[in-house]
Amino acid sequence: PGELDFCIISCVMIYVTTDEVLDGFMRLLTEGGVKALLVSERDMQLTACEMVEARGGCVRRLIDQAHGKDERQTVWCSSDFAAGLRKTGEAIE
C-alpha cells in the first residue's frame, strides 16, 4: 500500500467531536504517517480545533480571521510537521 499524506474531513465534526475521536486523529498525525487533516465544516467555531491544539497539534485557519473567529476551513497537523514547514519557509501558522 502507498502512503497517505492527507485526509479530508467534511461536515462530520459536529457529530463526532469526542476525546476518543480527537485522540485518534492525533495518532494519525503523530504516529500514522498522515501529514495533515484538511477539515471543512459548516459551523464557524469548532470545539475540535481547540481540542487539537490542547493535544499539541497545530491548527491553521484558512479563512481570514479579521472579522472574527471562522474555523470552517482548517488544516490540522502535528507540531513536528509544522516545525518542518517553518524550516523550509512554508509555515503552516
Side-chain angles (χ1 to χ4, degrees), residues 32-65:
V34 174
K35 292 181 176 73
L37 302 176
L38 312 174
V39 183
S40 176
E41 287 296 326
R42 289 177 230 147
D43 290 339
M44 291 180 73
Q45 294 186 14
L46 297 179
T47 303
C49 288
E50 293 175 2
M51 293 172 76
V52 168
E53 292 169 328
R55 287 165 169 74
C58 291
V59 174
R60 172 69 167 124
R61 289 147 182 94
L62 300 177
I63 295 175
D64 185 3
Q65 302 294 293

Side-chain angles (χ1 to χ4, degrees), residues 4 6-7 17-18 22-24 27-28 34 39 41 44-45 49-50 53-54 56-57 59 69 74-75 80 82 87:
L4 181 61
F6 304 100
C7 292
T17 301
T18 66
L22 273 290
D23 289 343
R27 278 193 300 277
L28 284 174
V34 174
V39 183
E41 287 296 326
M44 291 180 73
Q45 294 186 14
C49 288
E50 293 175 2
E53 292 169 328
V59 174
K69 193 179 227 181
T74 57
V75 176
D80 289 343
K87 287 180 184 176

